[in-house]
Amino acid sequence: MLILAADTSGKQGSIALAHGLNNGTCDVIEVVPLAGGTFSAQLVPQIAALLSKHGFKKQDIDAFAVASGPGSFTGLRVGLAAIKGLAEILAKPIATVSLLEVVAIAGGTKGRVLAVLEAGRGEVYAGQYEVSDERATMIDERLIKLDSLAATDGGPALVTPEKSIAETLVAKGVRAVEVPAQQSDAVAHQGWKKILAGETVSPEALEANYIRRSDDISAMMALETHAVTAAHWSRQQYEQIFAAREPRREALIIEREGIQGFLVARALDKEWEIENMAVSGPARRHGLGTRLLGEFLDRARGTGAEMVFLEVRESNHAARALYEKWAFVQSGRRKGYYSGPEEDAITYCLYFA
């Protein structure tokens, strides 16, 4: 059985091809790295190249295994969207695998295990698992302060692929086992076990496991409050972005010691509307707006979209220059569209050739 596995949860993602064997093991054919954390432009072509290199077509894929999180919001959305699209076309099953799960198994310890991954801002993703016979049953996964792990000595075995975390904990007298960084081959191994056990999901039920911080939405709201040209939304509107059943809305978020910028768009048949976009004040004029827009256009083009459109305040010359740089053309005007202060909206559209 041919399995395609993908992990786009962090800066160094990868895809893998593997043969799933009836005895529950997996023969990995090849692992291909996806460097840089910007996967939207390279993921689908890399998948096609990997299949072609080994004499396969996409129709030869029997099942998919994908890292569902935790990790980068944008990276996870890119990877899951690609797998969802292929699985829908091919009508093949998907096994979702938590990165914390594969880390717990990589420790080689049976019984209660606490797997730990870097989350930034002095926090870590921590997953408590019961490990037996190369399978792991999740007890809970959460986001906690790294310092709080210093009080866990004498508890579950602690496993992490992060050298800095292991060194910090050992220095505080906590027993921590450092394991190699886990890639998509490990996702393939655990995914195949789940496929054999019938633990799969349909494309429409595929969702990411973000383990989001409770203050992320507050950070996005604060960012747009100080970006006077952004759309000002309610908390409920932002919560809908992260909702599991929002398959036709996409968000890109740039995180660097906190949320530095975001773009939200929704699909309307073969068209995409950019609904909101904001970049923090200190991060402006550093290319983040260009990066967000370029990433999104790659995503939209990859879905088969024919056109992208948006509205922008007439006075927002910087944003208008950015859109025109990406070949958007002015398509109309909406009188008095904006309030606080009242202002006309200029509509722009971009048609994909």
Side-chain angles (χ1 to χ4, degrees), residues 8 35 43 49 58 61 93 168 172 184 186 256 267 276 278 282 318 335:
T8 59
L43 181 56
K58 65 183 180 182
I61 299 172
T168 297
K172 293 184 177 182
S184 52
R256 186 187 304 154
N276 207 355
K335 298 290 290 183

Side-chain angles (χ1 to χ4, degrees), residues 134-175:
E134 296 190 349
R135 289 298 305 271
T137 302
M138 185 183 74
I139 299 170
D140 66 68
E141 291 185 344
R142 60 197 186 279
L143 188 73
I144 61 175
K145 290 290 185 182
L146 175 58
D147 289 344
S148 69
L149 289 178
T152 62
D153 195 31
L158 197 152
V159 182
T160 181
E162 317 278 2
K163 184 178 181 64
S164 60
I165 292 177
E167 290 177 345
T168 297
L169 293 175
V170 169
K172 293 184 177 182
V174 178
R175 294 173 298 167

